[in-house]
Amino acid sequence: MRHRPQRLVLMLASIFPCLALAETEPLTLDSVVVTGSRIEHSSFDLPAAVDVVGAERIGADQAKVNASEALSSVPGISVQNRQNYAQDLQISSRGFGARSAFGVRGIRLLSDGIPASMPDGQGQAATFNLDRADRIEVMRGPMSSVYGNHAGGVIQMFTADGKGRPSVEGGFTAGSYGSWKGNVAAQGEAGGVGYVLDASRFITDGYRDHSSAERNQEMAKLTWRPDEDSRLMFIANGFSQKAEDPLGLTWNKYQSDPRGVESAALLYNTRKTIDQTQGGLSYERRFGTSTIQLAAYAGQRSVTQFQSIPRSLQLILPSTPANDPKRKHSGGVIDFDRDYSGLSGRWIGRYDLAGGKLTTTVGLEYEQSTDERRGYENYTSATNLGVQGALRRKETDSVTSFDQYAQAEWQGERWAFTGGVRHSRIDFKVDDHYVATGNGDDSGNVSYEKTTPMLAALYKLTPAVNLYASAARGFETPTLNELFYSGANGSFSYSLKPALSTHLETGFKAYVGNDSRLDLALFQVRTTDELVVAASSGGRTSYQNAGQTMRRGLELALDSRWAGNFSSRVAYTYLDARYDEDFTSSSGTVPAGNRLPGVAANTLFGEVAWKHPASGFHTAVEGIMRSKMYVEDSNSQPAAPSYAIANLRAGFDLRYGALTLRSFARIDNIFDRQYVGSVVVGDSNGRYYESAPGRNWLLGLSARYAF
């Protein structure tokens, strides 16, 4: 099918000038953020690329199942729904994280101050409870270096506190491919204690064959103010999921049967189950103009995953001699139980200095995770595949991190200066309990340590125009999953280096009259020892350090409100991400100038919305365009083609006294385009492509009653 992204660009360009002819009404387009400065701060006056996705957009006629629903309108961030709940979303920021075979790496994930990222940098966005989300803050660039072991940025979600009169709420959505979701919630305040309770269940048959999933989430949040100077919060979350894994598709299979699967997925019944519970407690107290913040959390996560065994191992059966070198593998079934916890504390001081305001922050963070990890063969005989077989792996994997950081910000009448430094140490330890003939002892340990500075300046050119510049050093350690198979003969690697990066950014933030806000950021990131895919097969991906890479780009966001209750948003990203020098991989020499795989050069989001206040009716049209995306380092395999799609949504918000009703309908991909939604970078079997749905629909209804 032919793709015409230019048509969407022209359509959006024609709409916005027509709207600009209308008379406008005043509008404040600023949000309060804490990401970056760690205190409440105007996003307009922060010298960083930061966007806030509010509750209205998070729930903009969506099922609120995947963070991709809310984050597609944020520049600099690429959030791709793999249509594969066994592998979670593919999230990258300025190209960081695009290589991840599953989960999120290179981006710090936080929910109500509790990390959704582990100490090694790997995280899961699926655990975000979008039903109760009040806002999501997304920060890219140099200022994210003061958040530690990642280089791409920070995504932080905040849920609403329970306030006011008690209320109960229920909702139900249903859509294409047998998908539905139901949720119930209660919130309010009693005896000075705010409470929020939420539970949901999501089920889908999946767009592709062998991609069904079911997910359950629960949440409880309590807040209490012992006095006017202190606040105590307790939060607990539960998450469980069962999902089939359709794997990626080869190019020929994608073209002939985009909803299909390769035979390996069916042969080994690839699938994954997850169970996770966690809880956290935070305390905040003001002492005059200073504040202390303390937090602690703990959780447990269990995962069992049946993979497709690599082609080179498909003939390895129990009859194979134990001393055969081909026997050195960890099986096709991953099974681990993880305990994790963390502590953090910070002191925030505010002072008058040199005619301005000085704010200082000093903090400590300690995190640890311990995996009891087992691996099994995914067969018991040549004809009984996709079942748990003989033990092939048993080990204890531990990761700890201890970070110290300091930040300072001085704000004067026209100038503001921000500086920060963070020292991080991450320790990995493996205790191998499965040592057998042909399978050596992988026990050992490795540590990574780095100090990352950051400096930024902002100048208020006028009350409506701010200019800023910032610079920082960043780093990323390998994650456990990147270390597992990257050593000799597929063993644990203790020789991978952390990727070190230098970030430069300059930006422009402006109010255009009273009705529009424009944010523009230009950036450059040079990385040495970039972690790249060495080989990927059967669910196992090994990594190596390449030479230098260079990322240069531009991010633009424009929000406007027009007369007649129209509003619009445009978000555009240009990213030129290339290897800056040659390197050698298992597939040959990769020349300088090749583009990084999994990264699109151009991404555009546009939306025009209209709301009729009297009736509660609202409607919007959305457009999304993405340019082609390479799938491996040589850039020789067919790239995922460019595409442009349009979505249409409409709904009613009605109130009858204490009862509020909301209903909506949406159609995504209304022109029924066939396209690749995401890619599996460097898959050795050529299964790079993960197809996205054609035209699909969703209906939703919710009711809220306040007592």
Side-chain angles (χ1 to χ4, degrees):
M1 186 170 293
R2 301 183 71 178
H3 306 275
R4 299 178 183 272
Q6 296 88 349
R7 184 177 299 172
L8 177 63
V9 176
L10 292 173
M11 180 183 72
L12 293 171
S14 66
I15 290 174
F16 295 135
C18 293
L19 292 174
L21 297 176
E23 294 181 3
T24 60
E25 298 177 357
L27 177 70
T28 301
L29 291 164
D30 198 7
S31 302
V32 174
V33 297
V34 299
T35 306
S37 58
R38 301 182 188 272
I39 59 173
E40 290 191 351
H41 202 295
S42 163
S43 65
F44 186 74
D45 293 326
L46 194 68
V50 59
D51 285 77
V52 179
V53 182
E56 183 177 356
R57 179 167 292 278
I58 294 171
D61 304 333
Q62 299 277 13
K64 293 187 283 190
V65 173
N66 300 300
S68 55
E69 301 167 12
L71 298 181
S72 60
S73 63
V74 178
I77 292 283
S78 175
V79 187
Q80 308 297 336
N81 187 342
R82 294 180 179 272
Q83 307 301 317
N84 182 352
Y85 287 91
Q87 304 296 356
D88 204 0
L89 300 176
Q90 185 181 73
I91 303 180
S92 64
S93 174
R94 297 185 176 177
F96 291 96
R99 299 178 183 280
S100 181
F102 62 91
V104 180
R105 60 103 62 242
I107 303 171
R108 181 70 161 171
L109 302 178
L110 298 163
S111 177
D112 285 313
I114 297 176
S117 300
M118 293 296 104
D120 64 345
Q122 188 89 30
Q124 305 289 330
T127 58
F128 280 4
N129 190 317
L130 299 176
D131 288 329
R132 299 299 106 197
D134 182 59
R135 71 184 191 278
I136 300 175
E137 299 179 5
V138 183
M139 185 174 69
R140 294 86 66 199
M143 190 168 281
S144 61
S145 67
V146 295
Y147 282 80
N149 177 26
H150 61 275
V154 182
I155 299 177
Q156 185 162 198
M157 187 192 76
F158 298 89
T159 58
D161 291 349
K163 295 179 181 179
R165 293 187 301 166
S167 65
V168 294
E169 181 178 340
F172 184 81
T173 61
S176 300
Y177 318 119
S179 302
W180 64 267
K181 177 187 173 185
N183 77 288
V184 293
Q187 78 87 41
E189 193 170 2
V193 177
Y195 62 88
V196 179
L197 305 173
D198 183 88
S200 66
R201 180 170 176 79
F202 168 71
I203 289 181
T204 182
D205 293 335
Y207 162 66
R208 294 177 56 197
D209 296 339
H210 197 69
S211 63
S212 65
E214 60 179 72
R215 175 188 294 179
N216 298 303
Q217 284 185 275
E218 304 85 25
M219 170 193 163
K221 180 180 180 180
L222 303 176
T223 52
W224 178 48
R225 291 190 175 275
D227 53 57
E228 62 181 11
D229 292 322
S230 58
R231 179 179 184 268
L232 186 67
M233 181 193 75
F234 168 77
I235 190 165
N237 294 279
F239 177 90
S240 63
Q241 180 175 278
K242 296 180 180 179
E244 295 176 324
D245 186 351
L247 306 177
L249 297 172
T250 62
W251 179 247
N252 289 337
K253 182 71 172 179
Y254 160 71
Q255 289 185 308
S256 63
D257 185 13
R259 297 190 63 176
V261 298
E262 300 289 345
S263 59
L266 302 178
L267 192 64
Y268 290 94
N269 190 19
T270 48
R271 62 200 186 272
K272 186 177 184 179
T273 61
I274 304 171
D275 286 289
Q276 177 174 308
T277 57
Q278 68 178 31
L281 185 69
S282 67
Y283 176 72
E284 179 177 329
R285 183 170 182 84
R286 291 197 306 267
F287 297 91
T289 59
S290 299
T291 304
I292 188 171
Q293 298 173 344
L294 305 172
Y297 70 92
Q300 196 278 334
R301 180 180 178 91
S302 297
V303 174
T304 302
Q305 182 175 9
F306 286 74
Q307 299 177 312
S308 61
I309 200 165
R311 287 179 177 176
S312 60
L313 302 177
Q314 284 180 0
L315 299 179
I316 298 176
L317 300 175
S319 58
T320 304
N323 61 355
D324 192 312
K326 292 185 294 183
R327 292 281 296 174
K328 184 175 176 60
H329 68 94
S330 56
V333 181
I334 295 172
D335 183 24
F336 71 82
D337 297 302
R338 172 179 298 161
D339 294 311
Y340 60 93
S341 59
L343 299 167
S344 66
R346 68 177 67 99
W347 174 273
I348 301 171
R350 300 172 179 84
Y351 314 95
D352 294 325
L353 179 67
K357 299 290 185 180
L358 176 67
T359 303
T360 60
T361 303
V362 179
L364 302 171
E365 293 180 354
Y366 173 80
E367 300 174 12
Q368 71 85 28
S369 68
T370 302
D371 292 5
E372 296 298 334
R373 186 174 291 262
R374 300 161 295 276
Y376 302 91
E377 294 173 343
N378 55 356
Y379 54 81
T380 57
S381 69
T383 58
N384 192 23
L385 308 177
V387 297
Q388 182 175 305
L391 181 71
R392 295 296 308 175
R393 177 182 190 175
K394 186 178 181 182
E395 64 194 42
T396 302
D397 305 315
S398 302
V399 186
T400 61
S401 66
F402 181 52
D403 293 24
Q404 314 90 49
Y405 62 88
Q407 292 176 250
E409 179 187 55
W410 179 84
Q411 285 189 310
E413 182 178 354
R414 302 291 292 270
W415 284 94
F417 298 97
T418 303
V421 64
R422 184 179 183 112
H423 178 264
S424 301
R425 180 183 172 92
I426 299 94
D427 298 306
F428 294 80
K429 182 181 179 183
V430 175
D431 292 319
D432 193 347
H433 309 302
Y434 183 83
V435 182
T437 302
N439 194 92
D441 189 348
D442 280 341
S443 297
N445 59 80
V446 62
S447 298
Y448 303 97
E449 195 167 3
K450 190 65 179 176
T451 299
T452 52
M454 180 275 296
L455 184 64
L458 180 143
Y459 178 67
K460 297 180 181 295
L461 185 64
T462 72
V465 178
N466 284 345
L467 307 174
Y468 73 89
S470 59
R473 294 296 304 273
F475 85 117
E476 291 179 282
T477 69
T479 66
L480 269 176
N481 288 295
E482 292 166 344
L483 293 168
F484 279 142
Y485 310 112
S486 299
N489 299 317
S491 62
F492 195 93
S493 172
Y494 295 97
S495 59
L496 280 182
K497 302 175 184 178
L500 306 179
S501 51
T502 301
H503 300 248
L504 302 174
E505 179 178 311
T506 184
F508 170 89
K509 301 183 181 184
Y511 293 111
V512 183
N514 295 319
D515 58 338
S516 298
R517 173 170 164 177
L518 174 66
D519 286 42
L520 175 67
L522 302 172
F523 61 87
Q524 174 183 292
V525 185
R526 183 183 295 276
T527 302
T528 58
D529 291 322
E530 182 89 42
L531 290 161
V532 302
V533 173
S536 180
S537 178
R540 302 190 189 111
T541 305
S542 60
Y543 293 81
Q544 67 180 68
N545 291 109
Q548 292 188 352
T549 60
M550 176 67 77
R551 297 169 171 89
R552 295 187 177 96
L554 174 153
E555 297 166 0
L556 179 146
L558 175 64
D559 287 284
S560 300
R561 182 70 53 86
W562 314 98
N565 300 304
F566 281 95
S567 63
S568 64
R569 177 171 175 82
V570 176
Y572 171 71
T573 304
Y574 169 72
L575 177 57
D576 185 20
R578 299 176 182 270
Y579 291 107
D580 214 29
E581 60 183 29
D582 300 350
F583 72 94
T584 302
S585 70
S586 58
S587 58
T589 299
V590 176
N594 273 21
R595 290 189 179 273
L596 270 62
V599 180
N602 297 277
T603 306
L604 174 68
F605 172 90
E607 178 189 79
V608 178
W610 178 73
K611 185 173 184 178
H612 188 256
S615 66
F617 175 76
H618 61 269
T619 186
V621 60
E622 306 166 354
I624 299 173
M625 184 276 286
R626 191 193 72 193
S627 60
K628 69 178 182 180
M629 196 158 58
Y630 290 101
V631 297
E632 40 72 55
D633 291 322
S634 73
N635 294 178
S636 61
Q637 296 299 312
S642 61
Y643 69 84
I645 61 171
N647 309 322
L648 183 65
R649 58 184 173 88
F652 281 96
D653 297 338
L654 304 173
R655 176 169 293 180
Y656 302 95
L659 178 65
T660 301
L661 297 175
R662 293 185 172 90
S663 62
F664 72 87
R666 71 177 293 129
I667 301 177
D668 289 332
N669 193 2
I670 59 178
F671 298 116
D672 198 25
R673 303 298 190 194
Q674 179 184 324
Y675 67 100
V676 176
S678 57
V679 300
V680 182
V681 171
D683 186 272
S684 298
N685 292 311
R687 298 193 292 251
Y688 305 114
Y689 311 95
E690 296 176 307
S691 49
R695 185 186 300 115
N696 61 97
W697 59 271
L698 182 69
L699 299 175
L701 176 67
S702 65
R704 180 177 181 268
Y705 185 83
F707 294 93

